[in-house]
Amino acid sequence: MGLQLDEIRTLMQDLEKSSLREFSLQSEDFSLHLSKNEMTQPVVTTPAQPEMTTQASTSDKKTAEGTADMGADNTVLVEAPLVGTVYLKPKPDAAPFKEVGDHVQVGEQVAIIEAMKLMTPVKSEVTGVIKEILVEEEDVVDYGHALFRVQPDA
């Protein structure tokens, strides 16, 4: 039964406008749970399907597929804690939270993810240097999508 990204966005907007606190939808190969509650996070799980398309072309968009190689380069990925739109700056006219080469501490904010008009800070779980930014401003990301590659301090 998979849903397209625009259908999921519409469901998120409808939930935001309604008095419902949570919404769940399940089928054999698809599960969607949306919640306004603070402790839970909207999560979409589905098998990888090539039919899922986004508005940006794949050449313009950096993806997290194949970036979980934490072997040879010993880097750690900072991942999206929920589904939503990622913002790398606190305000449209402000400087980014972090740029390549910047040092980051555990718990330091590196991005914001907007889901259902709620802004959720993304914080680093490692102290180190930002080696790569794997998303662009206003990219739509899934739960677990890699946002940054960090070289941990020795």
Side-chain angles (χ1 to χ4, degrees), residues 77-96:
L77 298 177
V78 175
E79 298 178 338
L82 66 153
V83 176
T85 303
V86 66
Y87 296 97
L88 302 174
K89 302 184 275 188
K91 295 180 181 177
D93 57 344

Side-chain angles (χ1 to χ4, degrees), residues 2-153:
L3 293 175
Q4 297 296 318
L5 189 56
D6 59 332
E7 295 171 315
I8 294 171
R9 283 185 181 155
T10 301
L11 285 172
M12 290 170 66
Q13 291 169 350
D14 289 346
L15 178 64
E16 180 64 28
K17 294 175 188 172
S18 76
S19 62
L20 292 175
R21 299 295 304 160
E22 292 189 45
F23 173 80
S24 292
L25 177 67
Q26 291 183 321
S27 70
E28 289 180 20
D29 61 343
F30 179 81
S31 174
L32 172 69
H33 179 83
L34 302 174
S35 175
K36 292 183 188 178
N37 299 327
E38 293 280 329
M39 299 304 290
T40 61
Q41 301 170 347
V43 176
V44 177
T45 56
T46 183
Q49 297 176 352
E51 66 196 36
M52 292 293 280
T53 59
T54 60
Q55 295 163 351
S57 70
T58 55
S59 63
D60 295 339
K61 184 173 112 177
K62 297 176 185 174
T63 66
E65 295 175 11
T67 60
D69 56 330
M70 292 188 241
D73 62 357
N74 293 324
T75 58
V76 176
L77 298 177
V78 175
E79 298 178 338
L82 66 153
V83 176
T85 303
V86 66
Y87 296 97
L88 302 174
K89 302 184 275 188
K91 295 180 181 177
D93 57 344
F97 287 106
K98 291 293 175 185
E99 296 184 53
V100 173
D102 288 351
H103 194 267
V104 66
Q105 298 289 328
V106 171
E108 188 173 359
Q109 186 170 351
V110 294
I112 297 172
I113 295 184
E114 177 188 8
M116 298 187 315
K117 299 184 182 172
L118 294 175
M119 301 296 187
T120 303
V122 178
K123 298 183 178 181
S124 176
E125 296 177 2
V126 63
T127 297
V129 176
I130 304 284
K131 288 296 182 187
E132 187 177 3
I133 300 174
L134 303 168
V135 293
E136 293 182 20
E137 185 76 5
E138 297 185 14
D139 275 357
V140 176
V141 295
D142 293 326
Y143 172 81
H145 187 105
L147 305 175
F148 296 88
R149 185 180 299 276
V150 178
Q151 179 70 49
D153 288 346

